[in-house]
Short mmCIF file of all heavy atoms in Angstrom, two decimals:
data_model
loop_
_atom_site.label_atom_id
_atom_site.label_comp_id
_atom_site.label_asym_id
_atom_site.label_seq_id
_atom_site.Cartn_x
_atom_site.Cartn_y
_atom_site.Cartn_z
N MET A 1 83.82 67.59 121.63
CA MET A 1 83.88 68.79 122.47
C MET A 1 85.35 69.15 122.70
O MET A 1 86.20 68.29 122.85
CB MET A 1 83.21 68.50 123.82
CG MET A 1 83.41 69.61 124.86
SD MET A 1 82.88 69.10 126.52
CE MET A 1 81.11 69.18 126.34
N ARG A 2 85.55 70.49 122.73
CA ARG A 2 86.88 70.98 123.13
C ARG A 2 86.72 71.90 124.34
O ARG A 2 85.65 72.44 124.58
CB ARG A 2 87.53 71.75 121.97
CG ARG A 2 87.96 70.86 120.82
CD ARG A 2 88.75 71.64 119.79
NE ARG A 2 87.96 72.68 119.16
CZ ARG A 2 88.22 73.98 119.24
NH1 ARG A 2 89.27 74.41 119.94
NH2 ARG A 2 87.46 74.86 118.64
N VAL A 3 87.78 72.05 125.10
CA VAL A 3 87.77 72.98 126.23
C VAL A 3 88.98 73.89 126.14
O VAL A 3 90.03 73.50 125.62
CB VAL A 3 87.78 72.25 127.59
CG1 VAL A 3 86.44 71.65 127.91
CG2 VAL A 3 88.87 71.20 127.65
N GLU A 4 88.79 75.10 126.62
CA GLU A 4 89.89 76.05 126.74
C GLU A 4 89.94 76.53 128.17
O GLU A 4 88.90 76.70 128.81
CB GLU A 4 89.67 77.25 125.81
CG GLU A 4 89.74 76.90 124.33
CD GLU A 4 89.45 78.10 123.44
OE1 GLU A 4 88.97 79.13 123.93
OE2 GLU A 4 89.68 77.96 122.22
N LEU A 5 91.13 76.73 128.67
CA LEU A 5 91.31 77.26 130.03
C LEU A 5 92.20 78.50 129.94
O LEU A 5 93.35 78.41 129.50
CB LEU A 5 91.92 76.18 130.92
CG LEU A 5 91.83 76.41 132.43
CD1 LEU A 5 91.98 75.09 133.17
CD2 LEU A 5 92.84 77.42 132.94
N ASP A 6 91.61 79.62 130.33
CA ASP A 6 92.32 80.90 130.23
C ASP A 6 93.25 81.05 131.44
O ASP A 6 92.81 81.28 132.56
CB ASP A 6 91.29 82.04 130.20
CG ASP A 6 91.94 83.39 129.95
OD1 ASP A 6 93.13 83.56 130.28
OD2 ASP A 6 91.24 84.29 129.44
N ARG A 7 94.52 80.90 131.18
CA ARG A 7 95.51 80.92 132.27
C ARG A 7 95.59 82.30 132.95
O ARG A 7 96.01 82.40 134.09
CB ARG A 7 96.88 80.54 131.71
CG ARG A 7 96.93 79.13 131.14
CD ARG A 7 97.21 78.10 132.18
NE ARG A 7 98.55 78.24 132.73
CZ ARG A 7 98.99 77.60 133.81
NH1 ARG A 7 98.17 76.80 134.46
NH2 ARG A 7 100.20 77.77 134.24
N GLU A 8 95.21 83.31 132.24
CA GLU A 8 95.26 84.65 132.85
C GLU A 8 94.09 84.87 133.80
O GLU A 8 94.21 85.62 134.77
CB GLU A 8 95.30 85.72 131.76
CG GLU A 8 96.58 85.65 130.96
CD GLU A 8 96.78 86.87 130.07
OE1 GLU A 8 95.92 87.76 130.08
OE2 GLU A 8 97.79 86.90 129.36
N ARG A 9 92.97 84.23 133.52
CA ARG A 9 91.81 84.36 134.41
C ARG A 9 91.89 83.42 135.60
O ARG A 9 91.36 83.72 136.68
CB ARG A 9 90.53 84.06 133.64
CG ARG A 9 90.19 85.10 132.60
CD ARG A 9 88.85 84.79 131.96
NE ARG A 9 87.77 85.24 132.81
CZ ARG A 9 86.91 86.19 132.48
NH1 ARG A 9 86.99 86.77 131.32
NH2 ARG A 9 85.95 86.55 133.30
N CYS A 10 92.51 82.26 135.43
CA CYS A 10 92.57 81.26 136.49
C CYS A 10 93.28 81.83 137.72
O CYS A 10 94.38 82.37 137.62
CB CYS A 10 93.29 80.01 136.00
SG CYS A 10 93.53 78.78 137.30
N GLN A 11 92.61 81.66 138.87
CA GLN A 11 93.20 82.11 140.14
C GLN A 11 93.52 80.94 141.06
O GLN A 11 93.81 81.13 142.25
CB GLN A 11 92.24 83.08 140.84
CG GLN A 11 91.96 84.34 140.05
CD GLN A 11 93.20 85.20 139.86
OE1 GLN A 11 93.98 85.40 140.80
NE2 GLN A 11 93.43 85.67 138.64
N GLY A 12 93.42 79.73 140.53
CA GLY A 12 93.81 78.56 141.31
C GLY A 12 92.77 78.09 142.32
O GLY A 12 93.13 77.47 143.32
N HIS A 13 91.49 78.34 142.07
CA HIS A 13 90.46 77.89 143.00
C HIS A 13 90.37 76.37 143.07
O HIS A 13 89.93 75.83 144.09
CB HIS A 13 89.10 78.47 142.61
CG HIS A 13 89.02 79.95 142.76
ND1 HIS A 13 89.01 80.58 143.98
CD2 HIS A 13 89.00 80.95 141.84
CE1 HIS A 13 88.95 81.89 143.81
NE2 HIS A 13 88.95 82.14 142.51
N GLY A 14 90.71 75.71 142.00
CA GLY A 14 90.83 74.25 142.03
C GLY A 14 89.54 73.47 141.88
O GLY A 14 89.54 72.26 141.92
N ARG A 15 88.43 74.16 141.70
CA ARG A 15 87.17 73.41 141.60
C ARG A 15 87.13 72.54 140.36
O ARG A 15 86.55 71.46 140.37
CB ARG A 15 85.99 74.39 141.59
CG ARG A 15 85.85 75.13 142.90
CD ARG A 15 84.60 75.94 142.93
NE ARG A 15 84.62 76.85 144.06
CZ ARG A 15 83.70 77.79 144.27
NH1 ARG A 15 82.72 77.94 143.41
NH2 ARG A 15 83.77 78.56 145.32
N CYS A 16 87.72 73.03 139.29
CA CYS A 16 87.68 72.26 138.03
C CYS A 16 88.33 70.89 138.21
O CYS A 16 87.73 69.86 137.88
CB CYS A 16 88.35 73.04 136.91
SG CYS A 16 90.06 73.51 137.23
N TYR A 17 89.53 70.86 138.73
CA TYR A 17 90.21 69.55 138.79
C TYR A 17 89.74 68.69 139.95
O TYR A 17 89.94 67.48 139.94
CB TYR A 17 91.74 69.70 138.76
CG TYR A 17 92.38 70.65 139.74
CD1 TYR A 17 92.56 70.31 141.07
CD2 TYR A 17 92.85 71.89 139.31
CE1 TYR A 17 93.18 71.17 141.95
CE2 TYR A 17 93.48 72.77 140.19
CZ TYR A 17 93.64 72.40 141.51
OH TYR A 17 94.26 73.26 142.38
N VAL A 18 89.10 69.29 140.98
CA VAL A 18 88.50 68.49 142.04
C VAL A 18 87.22 67.82 141.52
O VAL A 18 86.97 66.64 141.77
CB VAL A 18 88.21 69.35 143.28
CG1 VAL A 18 87.31 68.61 144.26
CG2 VAL A 18 89.51 69.76 143.95
N LEU A 19 86.43 68.56 140.76
CA LEU A 19 85.14 68.05 140.28
C LEU A 19 85.26 67.21 139.01
O LEU A 19 84.39 66.40 138.73
CB LEU A 19 84.19 69.23 140.00
CG LEU A 19 83.72 70.00 141.23
CD1 LEU A 19 83.04 71.30 140.81
CD2 LEU A 19 82.79 69.15 142.08
N ALA A 20 86.30 67.43 138.23
CA ALA A 20 86.40 66.77 136.92
C ALA A 20 87.86 66.46 136.62
O ALA A 20 88.46 67.03 135.71
CB ALA A 20 85.80 67.67 135.85
N SER A 21 88.39 65.50 137.36
CA SER A 21 89.82 65.21 137.25
C SER A 21 90.18 64.51 135.93
O SER A 21 91.36 64.42 135.59
CB SER A 21 90.28 64.37 138.43
OG SER A 21 89.58 63.15 138.47
N ALA A 22 89.16 64.03 135.21
CA ALA A 22 89.45 63.43 133.91
C ALA A 22 89.75 64.49 132.86
O ALA A 22 90.33 64.18 131.82
CB ALA A 22 88.27 62.57 133.46
N VAL A 23 89.35 65.71 133.14
CA VAL A 23 89.44 66.77 132.14
C VAL A 23 90.46 67.84 132.54
O VAL A 23 91.16 68.40 131.70
CB VAL A 23 88.06 67.43 131.91
CG1 VAL A 23 88.13 68.50 130.84
CG2 VAL A 23 87.02 66.37 131.56
N PHE A 24 90.52 68.11 133.84
CA PHE A 24 91.39 69.18 134.35
C PHE A 24 92.35 68.61 135.39
O PHE A 24 92.01 67.68 136.12
CB PHE A 24 90.56 70.28 135.00
CG PHE A 24 89.44 70.79 134.15
CD1 PHE A 24 88.15 70.33 134.33
CD2 PHE A 24 89.67 71.72 133.14
CE1 PHE A 24 87.10 70.79 133.54
CE2 PHE A 24 88.64 72.18 132.34
CZ PHE A 24 87.35 71.71 132.54
N GLU A 25 93.52 69.21 135.46
CA GLU A 25 94.45 68.84 136.51
C GLU A 25 95.14 70.09 137.02
O GLU A 25 94.99 71.18 136.46
CB GLU A 25 95.45 67.79 136.02
CG GLU A 25 96.27 68.21 134.83
CD GLU A 25 97.07 67.04 134.27
OE1 GLU A 25 97.00 65.93 134.81
OE2 GLU A 25 97.78 67.27 133.26
N SER A 26 95.89 69.91 138.07
CA SER A 26 96.58 71.02 138.71
C SER A 26 98.02 71.11 138.21
O SER A 26 98.67 70.08 138.02
CB SER A 26 96.58 70.80 140.22
OG SER A 26 97.40 71.75 140.87
N ASP A 27 98.49 72.34 138.03
CA ASP A 27 99.93 72.46 137.80
C ASP A 27 100.64 72.50 139.16
O ASP A 27 100.00 72.34 140.21
CB ASP A 27 100.24 73.68 136.91
CG ASP A 27 100.06 75.02 137.60
OD1 ASP A 27 99.79 75.05 138.83
OD2 ASP A 27 100.18 76.05 136.91
N ASP A 28 101.92 72.70 139.17
CA ASP A 28 102.68 72.63 140.42
C ASP A 28 102.28 73.73 141.41
O ASP A 28 102.57 73.61 142.62
CB ASP A 28 104.18 72.74 140.13
CG ASP A 28 104.71 71.50 139.44
OD1 ASP A 28 104.03 70.45 139.48
OD2 ASP A 28 105.81 71.58 138.85
N ASP A 29 101.62 74.78 140.93
CA ASP A 29 101.23 75.89 141.79
C ASP A 29 99.74 75.91 142.12
O ASP A 29 99.25 76.86 142.72
CB ASP A 29 101.63 77.21 141.12
CG ASP A 29 103.14 77.32 140.91
OD1 ASP A 29 103.87 77.00 141.86
OD2 ASP A 29 103.56 77.70 139.81
N GLY A 30 99.01 74.86 141.69
CA GLY A 30 97.59 74.78 142.00
C GLY A 30 96.68 75.43 140.98
O GLY A 30 95.47 75.49 141.19
N TYR A 31 97.25 75.88 139.90
CA TYR A 31 96.42 76.44 138.83
C TYR A 31 95.95 75.32 137.92
O TYR A 31 96.61 74.28 137.78
CB TYR A 31 97.21 77.48 138.03
CG TYR A 31 97.53 78.74 138.83
CD1 TYR A 31 98.71 78.86 139.55
CD2 TYR A 31 96.62 79.79 138.87
CE1 TYR A 31 98.99 79.99 140.30
CE2 TYR A 31 96.88 80.93 139.61
CZ TYR A 31 98.06 81.03 140.32
OH TYR A 31 98.31 82.16 141.07
N GLY A 32 94.83 75.56 137.29
CA GLY A 32 94.25 74.53 136.44
C GLY A 32 94.93 74.43 135.09
O GLY A 32 95.30 75.45 134.50
N VAL A 33 95.06 73.21 134.63
CA VAL A 33 95.52 72.95 133.26
C VAL A 33 94.65 71.84 132.69
O VAL A 33 94.03 71.07 133.42
CB VAL A 33 97.02 72.55 133.19
CG1 VAL A 33 97.92 73.71 133.55
CG2 VAL A 33 97.30 71.36 134.08
N LEU A 34 94.62 71.76 131.38
CA LEU A 34 93.81 70.75 130.72
C LEU A 34 94.56 69.44 130.63
O LEU A 34 95.76 69.41 130.37
CB LEU A 34 93.47 71.21 129.30
CG LEU A 34 92.67 72.51 129.18
CD1 LEU A 34 92.55 72.89 127.70
CD2 LEU A 34 91.31 72.38 129.83
N VAL A 35 93.85 68.35 130.89
CA VAL A 35 94.42 67.03 130.60
C VAL A 35 94.59 66.89 129.10
O VAL A 35 95.60 66.41 128.60
CB VAL A 35 93.51 65.92 131.17
CG1 VAL A 35 94.00 64.54 130.75
CG2 VAL A 35 93.43 66.03 132.69
N SER A 36 93.57 67.34 128.37
CA SER A 36 93.59 67.34 126.92
C SER A 36 92.60 68.39 126.43
O SER A 36 91.58 68.62 127.07
CB SER A 36 93.19 65.96 126.39
OG SER A 36 92.94 66.01 125.01
N GLU A 37 92.90 69.05 125.33
CA GLU A 37 91.96 70.04 124.80
C GLU A 37 90.71 69.39 124.25
O GLU A 37 89.66 70.01 124.16
CB GLU A 37 92.63 70.86 123.68
CG GLU A 37 93.63 71.87 124.21
CD GLU A 37 94.21 72.73 123.10
OE1 GLU A 37 93.61 72.78 122.01
OE2 GLU A 37 95.26 73.32 123.33
N THR A 38 90.81 68.14 123.85
CA THR A 38 89.68 67.42 123.30
C THR A 38 89.10 66.50 124.37
O THR A 38 89.83 65.79 125.06
CB THR A 38 90.12 66.57 122.09
OG1 THR A 38 90.74 67.44 121.14
CG2 THR A 38 88.93 65.89 121.45
N VAL A 39 87.77 66.57 124.53
CA VAL A 39 87.09 65.78 125.56
C VAL A 39 86.18 64.77 124.89
O VAL A 39 85.31 65.13 124.10
CB VAL A 39 86.27 66.71 126.48
CG1 VAL A 39 85.57 65.90 127.56
CG2 VAL A 39 87.16 67.78 127.10
N THR A 40 86.38 63.50 125.21
CA THR A 40 85.53 62.46 124.63
C THR A 40 84.16 62.47 125.31
O THR A 40 83.98 63.00 126.40
CB THR A 40 86.19 61.08 124.78
OG1 THR A 40 86.49 60.86 126.16
CG2 THR A 40 87.49 61.01 123.98
N ALA A 41 83.19 61.85 124.64
CA ALA A 41 81.79 61.94 125.05
C ALA A 41 81.56 61.52 126.51
O ALA A 41 80.77 62.13 127.22
CB ALA A 41 80.93 61.09 124.13
N GLU A 42 82.30 60.54 126.96
CA GLU A 42 82.05 60.06 128.33
C GLU A 42 82.41 61.11 129.39
O GLU A 42 81.95 61.00 130.53
CB GLU A 42 82.84 58.77 128.59
CG GLU A 42 84.34 58.94 128.48
CD GLU A 42 85.09 57.62 128.57
OE1 GLU A 42 84.76 56.79 129.42
OE2 GLU A 42 86.02 57.43 127.77
N PHE A 43 83.19 62.11 129.02
CA PHE A 43 83.59 63.13 129.99
C PHE A 43 82.97 64.51 129.72
O PHE A 43 83.37 65.50 130.35
CB PHE A 43 85.11 63.23 130.05
CG PHE A 43 85.78 61.97 130.48
CD1 PHE A 43 86.75 61.37 129.69
CD2 PHE A 43 85.44 61.36 131.68
CE1 PHE A 43 87.36 60.19 130.08
CE2 PHE A 43 86.05 60.17 132.09
CZ PHE A 43 87.01 59.59 131.28
N HIS A 44 81.99 64.56 128.82
CA HIS A 44 81.36 65.85 128.52
C HIS A 44 80.68 66.45 129.74
O HIS A 44 80.82 67.64 130.02
CB HIS A 44 80.33 65.70 127.39
CG HIS A 44 80.96 65.59 126.03
ND1 HIS A 44 80.22 65.54 124.88
CD2 HIS A 44 82.27 65.52 125.66
CE1 HIS A 44 81.05 65.44 123.83
NE2 HIS A 44 82.29 65.42 124.29
N ASP A 45 79.93 65.63 130.49
CA ASP A 45 79.25 66.15 131.68
C ASP A 45 80.25 66.66 132.70
O ASP A 45 80.04 67.69 133.34
CB ASP A 45 78.35 65.07 132.29
CG ASP A 45 77.10 64.82 131.47
OD1 ASP A 45 76.81 65.63 130.56
OD2 ASP A 45 76.43 63.81 131.73
N ALA A 46 81.35 65.93 132.86
CA ALA A 46 82.39 66.36 133.81
C ALA A 46 82.99 67.69 133.38
O ALA A 46 83.20 68.59 134.20
CB ALA A 46 83.47 65.28 133.91
N ALA A 47 83.26 67.83 132.10
CA ALA A 47 83.83 69.08 131.59
C ALA A 47 82.89 70.25 131.85
O ALA A 47 83.31 71.33 132.29
CB ALA A 47 84.13 68.95 130.10
N ARG A 48 81.60 70.04 131.59
CA ARG A 48 80.61 71.10 131.83
C ARG A 48 80.52 71.44 133.31
O ARG A 48 80.40 72.61 133.69
CB ARG A 48 79.23 70.68 131.31
CG ARG A 48 79.18 70.55 129.79
CD ARG A 48 77.74 70.32 129.32
NE ARG A 48 77.71 69.99 127.90
CZ ARG A 48 77.52 68.77 127.42
NH1 ARG A 48 77.32 67.75 128.24
NH2 ARG A 48 77.54 68.55 126.12
N LYS A 49 80.59 70.44 134.15
CA LYS A 49 80.53 70.66 135.59
C LYS A 49 81.74 71.49 136.06
O LYS A 49 81.61 72.43 136.83
CB LYS A 49 80.50 69.31 136.31
CG LYS A 49 80.23 69.39 137.79
CD LYS A 49 80.08 67.97 138.35
CE LYS A 49 79.71 67.99 139.82
NZ LYS A 49 79.56 66.62 140.34
N GLY A 50 82.91 71.12 135.57
CA GLY A 50 84.10 71.87 135.94
C GLY A 50 84.03 73.30 135.47
O GLY A 50 84.34 74.24 136.21
N ALA A 51 83.61 73.48 134.24
CA ALA A 51 83.51 74.84 133.69
C ALA A 51 82.48 75.66 134.44
O ALA A 51 82.71 76.83 134.76
CB ALA A 51 83.15 74.76 132.20
N GLY A 52 81.34 75.04 134.75
CA GLY A 52 80.26 75.76 135.40
C GLY A 52 80.57 76.15 136.83
O GLY A 52 79.93 77.04 137.39
N ASN A 53 81.56 75.50 137.43
CA ASN A 53 81.90 75.78 138.82
C ASN A 53 83.16 76.62 138.99
O ASN A 53 83.60 76.82 140.12
CB ASN A 53 82.05 74.46 139.59
CG ASN A 53 80.70 73.88 139.96
OD1 ASN A 53 80.10 74.27 140.95
ND2 ASN A 53 80.19 72.97 139.14
N CYS A 54 83.73 77.08 137.91
CA CYS A 54 84.90 77.96 138.03
C CYS A 54 84.44 79.38 138.38
O CYS A 54 83.74 80.00 137.61
CB CYS A 54 85.70 77.98 136.73
SG CYS A 54 87.05 79.18 136.81
N PRO A 55 84.84 79.88 139.54
CA PRO A 55 84.39 81.22 139.95
C PRO A 55 84.93 82.34 139.07
O PRO A 55 84.40 83.45 139.09
CB PRO A 55 84.97 81.37 141.37
CG PRO A 55 85.37 80.01 141.79
CD PRO A 55 85.69 79.25 140.55
N GLU A 56 85.95 82.05 138.31
CA GLU A 56 86.56 83.09 137.46
C GLU A 56 86.09 83.01 136.01
O GLU A 56 86.57 83.77 135.16
CB GLU A 56 88.09 82.97 137.52
CG GLU A 56 88.69 82.99 138.91
CD GLU A 56 88.46 84.28 139.65
OE1 GLU A 56 88.25 85.33 138.99
OE2 GLU A 56 88.49 84.27 140.90
N ASP A 57 85.20 82.06 135.72
CA ASP A 57 84.77 81.84 134.33
C ASP A 57 85.96 81.69 133.40
O ASP A 57 86.00 82.26 132.29
CB ASP A 57 83.88 83.00 133.85
CG ASP A 57 82.48 82.90 134.42
OD1 ASP A 57 82.04 81.77 134.72
OD2 ASP A 57 81.84 83.95 134.57
N ALA A 58 86.94 80.94 133.84
CA ALA A 58 88.18 80.78 133.07
C ALA A 58 88.09 79.68 132.02
O ALA A 58 88.98 79.55 131.19
CB ALA A 58 89.34 80.51 134.01
N ILE A 59 87.02 78.88 132.11
CA ILE A 59 86.93 77.69 131.24
C ILE A 59 85.83 77.88 130.22
O ILE A 59 84.69 78.24 130.57
CB ILE A 59 86.65 76.43 132.09
CG1 ILE A 59 87.79 76.22 133.09
CG2 ILE A 59 86.49 75.20 131.19
CD1 ILE A 59 87.44 75.25 134.20
N THR A 60 86.15 77.63 128.99
CA THR A 60 85.18 77.73 127.89
C THR A 60 84.99 76.35 127.28
O THR A 60 85.95 75.65 126.99
CB THR A 60 85.71 78.69 126.80
OG1 THR A 60 85.97 79.95 127.40
CG2 THR A 60 84.69 78.86 125.70
N ILE A 61 83.72 75.99 127.11
CA ILE A 61 83.36 74.74 126.45
C ILE A 61 83.02 75.05 125.00
O ILE A 61 82.24 75.96 124.72
CB ILE A 61 82.13 74.10 127.11
CG1 ILE A 61 82.40 73.78 128.59
CG2 ILE A 61 81.66 72.88 126.34
CD1 ILE A 61 83.28 72.60 128.84
N ILE A 62 83.60 74.31 124.09
CA ILE A 62 83.31 74.46 122.67
C ILE A 62 82.68 73.16 122.19
O ILE A 62 83.37 72.14 122.04
CB ILE A 62 84.57 74.80 121.87
CG1 ILE A 62 85.18 76.10 122.41
CG2 ILE A 62 84.27 74.93 120.39
CD1 ILE A 62 86.67 76.05 122.52
N GLU A 63 81.36 73.24 122.01
CA GLU A 63 80.63 72.03 121.57
C GLU A 63 80.94 71.79 120.10
O GLU A 63 81.06 72.72 119.32
CB GLU A 63 79.13 72.23 121.76
CG GLU A 63 78.72 72.60 123.18
CD GLU A 63 78.60 71.40 124.11
OE1 GLU A 63 78.77 70.26 123.64
OE2 GLU A 63 78.32 71.61 125.30
N ASP A 64 81.02 70.54 119.72
CA ASP A 64 81.26 70.19 118.31
C ASP A 64 80.02 70.49 117.47
O ASP A 64 78.92 70.46 117.95
CB ASP A 64 81.62 68.72 118.18
CG ASP A 64 83.00 68.46 118.77
OD1 ASP A 64 83.85 69.36 118.72
OD2 ASP A 64 83.20 67.34 119.29
FE1 F3S B 101 91.41 77.96 137.87
FE2 F3S B 101 88.82 78.04 137.78
FE3 F3S B 101 90.02 75.76 137.91
S1 F3S B 101 90.10 79.48 138.86
S2 F3S B 101 91.91 76.11 139.03
S3 F3S B 101 90.16 77.20 136.24
S4 F3S B 101 88.18 76.32 138.99
#
């Protein structure tokens, strides 16, 4: 699985990195950034949870 985070859509709600800190983290201003574009199987559910809870739909999941 891969994830993309659209920096232009992100408004810094922070749900992604609160709910799925293995996949998303905060930059210095509270906006979301990816820990890694590639997500290993053990973190797939976390990635989906983070993406599904972003109010701006800024996160896209790309299933392999
Ligand atoms: Fe940004 Fe959405 Fe996360 S607005 S900080 S990508 S929950």
Side-chain angles (χ1 to χ4, degrees):
M1 171 191 285
R2 289 187 297 117
V3 285
E4 293 177 348
L5 196 159
D6 186 334
R7 297 275 293 169
E8 294 192 0
R9 291 185 80 115
C10 175
Q11 298 296 316
H13 293 290
R15 295 187 191 173
C16 57
Y17 51 78
V18 167
L19 292 168
S21 60
V23 182
F24 309 99
E25 58 189 359
S26 171
D27 72 6
D28 290 342
D29 298 314
Y31 292 92
V33 291
L34 299 174
V35 174
S36 168
E37 286 184 18
T38 304
V39 180
T40 55
E42 62 187 316
F43 298 124
H44 283 185
D45 286 348
R48 293 188 189 104
K49 189 174 184 180
N53 281 278
C54 175
E56 306 297 336
D57 284 333
I59 300 164
T60 303
I61 300 286
I62 301 138
E63 304 278 357
D64 290 329

